[in-house]
Amino acid sequence: MSQYRVTYEPKHVTVPVEPELYPYSRYGRPGSVLDIALANGVHIDHACGGQLTCGMCRVVVEQGEENLSPRSGQEDAYLKYLGVRDPAVRLACQAVVQGDVTVRIGR
């Protein structure tokens, strides 16, 4: 079984994940940064339950951007609607982990 690590800053919490066990919780896309965080006691603000409608779960990818699923057209459009132009910003509910990654929680 392959295992990845997701590190959440500024909390300094690293969570080991096994993609074979996706989904971990019922929030966001299975295996998303939000799904993994909430299943492991790491709080990320969200109001829509991971349905891509609130934009509160924004994170900044500090390392491992290549290890996340690419932005969908829908995620990209929603971030633009919110005025986000930084390509390192992702919606935690949409970014599916595919390798080691470090994200910074907060806007």
Side-chain angles (χ1 to χ4, degrees):
M1 252 192 258
S2 60
Q3 191 176 72
Y4 309 140
R5 292 174 310 194
V6 181
T7 301
Y8 296 92
E9 297 294 353
K11 298 182 184 286
H12 309 296
V13 173
T14 298
V15 175
V17 296
E18 295 181 20
E20 294 84 4
L21 301 177
Y22 291 165
Y24 281 95
S25 70
R26 58 188 172 104
Y27 299 101
R29 292 178 62 198
S32 67
V33 171
L34 181 66
D35 175 43
I36 294 164
L38 297 179
N40 287 281
V42 178
H43 178 75
I44 296 179
D45 285 339
H46 64 287
C48 68
Q51 300 301 310
L52 187 62
T53 59
C54 74
M56 292 179 65
C57 67
R58 285 176 272 178
V59 295
V60 177
V61 181
E62 293 188 339
Q63 290 182 321
E65 180 179 345
E66 69 279 4
N67 293 327
L68 292 174
S69 61
R71 276 188 185 179
S72 68
Q74 196 176 14
E75 179 185 6
D76 195 48
Y78 197 76
L79 286 167
K80 286 179 183 173
Y81 168 76
L82 295 173
V84 176
R85 303 286 186 249
D86 184 347
V89 175
R90 294 293 305 270
L91 294 176
C93 67
Q94 298 299 300
V96 175
V97 176
Q98 301 169 335
D100 293 349
V101 65
T102 300
V103 297
R104 179 161 298 278
I105 299 169
R107 294 174 239 159

